[in-house]
Amino acid sequence: MSDDHYSEKDVHREVTALEKQSTTAARIFDLRRIIGGLFVLYGVIVTITGITDGDAEIDKAQGININLWTGLGMLALGVFFLVWLWVRPTPAPTAPLPEEGEGEGTK
């Protein structure tokens, strides 16, 4: 027999702590955050490139400042993902309901 005795309270506290860590990890690694952040970052870079383009680069694209329009589109998409994340955050997992007879004192 082992000398390690865990009370139901200790086990419940451990499970609760692990659930909180799991929820935090799920929110940090939400794909909307990653995709939105990358599109905003690249959108800023391409937009700045489009603003600083000279006439030669614009003439290559038949008079359209393609870097500027692409960068603005990327910025809009990135902001859309981040707003979506803010408006509809990842829901916290719900605790499962105890089954019949599970909550009773069995020793």
Side-chain angles (χ1 to χ4, degrees), residues 20 48 57 64 71 73 89 94 97 100 104:
K20 286 180 185 177
I48 290 172
E57 288 86 5
I64 299 171
T94 58
L97 296 174
E100 279 188 42
E104 298 173 11

Side-chain angles (χ1 to χ4, degrees), residues 61-87:
Q62 298 178 351
I64 299 171
N65 193 343
I66 195 73
N67 285 332
L68 179 63
W69 289 109
T70 303
L72 291 174
M74 292 172 77
L75 273 172
L77 184 63
V79 168
F80 168 75
F81 272 96
L82 294 176
V83 167
W84 179 20
L85 177 68
W86 180 66
V87 171

Side-chain angles (χ1 to χ4, degrees), residues 23-79:
T23 302
T24 302
R27 286 186 178 145
I28 289 172
F29 295 111
D30 190 347
L31 286 178
R32 296 174 292 180
R33 180 183 314 259
I34 296 168
I35 292 171
L38 286 174
F39 267 101
V40 167
L41 176 68
Y42 293 144
V44 167
I45 293 170
V46 175
T47 301
I48 290 172
T49 302
I51 291 171
T52 61
D53 274 348
D55 290 335
E57 288 86 5
I58 294 173
D59 289 340
K60 285 182 191 177
Q62 298 178 351
I64 299 171
N65 193 343
I66 195 73
N67 285 332
L68 179 63
W69 289 109
T70 303
L72 291 174
M74 292 172 77
L75 273 172
L77 184 63
V79 168

